[in-house]
Amino acid sequence: QVQLVESGGGLVQAGGSLRLSCATSRSIFSINTMGWYRQAPGKQRELVARITVGGTTDYADSVKGRFTISRDNAKNTVYLQMNSLKPEDTGVYYCYAERYLGYWGQGTQVTVSP
């Protein structure tokens, strides 16, 4: 089993930055892929960014150039640095991990004011 705990969400003005953290209960090396999803009110949950155990990253087109996913292997933690935030980025952000099964964190709210 993999337990995920997100932190770092909050309220920020447009153009501001936030860094989300996802702490895992086991080594990231034992997890194939970790990523961040978000769900805005009335919308489907969507992939924001992901990183594989080998370090390969992928981003949604809407966040390329603004968001960066990274990891600290020693801390078993994955980060999402969000810069130049827009109101459209508002939503609940969920950490996700794939091993033999998929695992979800509880989510952290990100609100970007105009």
Side-chain angles (χ1 to χ4, degrees):
Q1 185 176 345
V2 179
Q3 295 171 251
L4 306 171
V5 180
E6 304 102 327
S7 62
L11 174 65
V12 65
Q13 290 185 312
S17 299
L18 286 172
R19 189 181 73 161
L20 307 183
S21 299
C22 177
T24 71
S25 62
R26 62 183 301 141
S27 173
I28 292 176
F29 291 117
S30 70
I31 303 172
N32 298 120
T33 302
M34 294 194 67
W36 290 93
Y37 287 71
R38 69 186 179 191
Q39 188 166 23
K43 295 184 178 180
Q44 299 288 334
R45 187 175 298 186
E46 63 177 348
L47 174 68
V48 177
R50 62 185 176 190
I51 186 168
T52 69
V53 67
T56 302
T57 59
D58 292 291
Y59 298 92
D61 288 340
S62 61
V63 307
K64 286 182 178 177
R66 300 189 297 120
F67 291 10
T68 303
I69 188 169
S70 62
R71 67 190 183 197
D72 186 328
N73 298 327
K75 295 182 178 180
N76 293 336
T77 300
V78 172
Y79 304 96
L80 184 67
Q81 179 66 46
M82 304 185 294
N83 298 325
S84 301
L85 283 162
K86 305 174 181 179
E88 305 93 273
D89 296 318
T90 293
V92 179
Y93 283 68
Y94 298 90
C95 185
Y96 177 74
E98 292 182 17
R99 193 168 180 259
Y100 302 107
L101 299 172
Y103 302 90
W104 293 95
Q106 291 298 307
T108 184
Q109 177 70 42
V110 172
T111 302
V112 184
S113 62

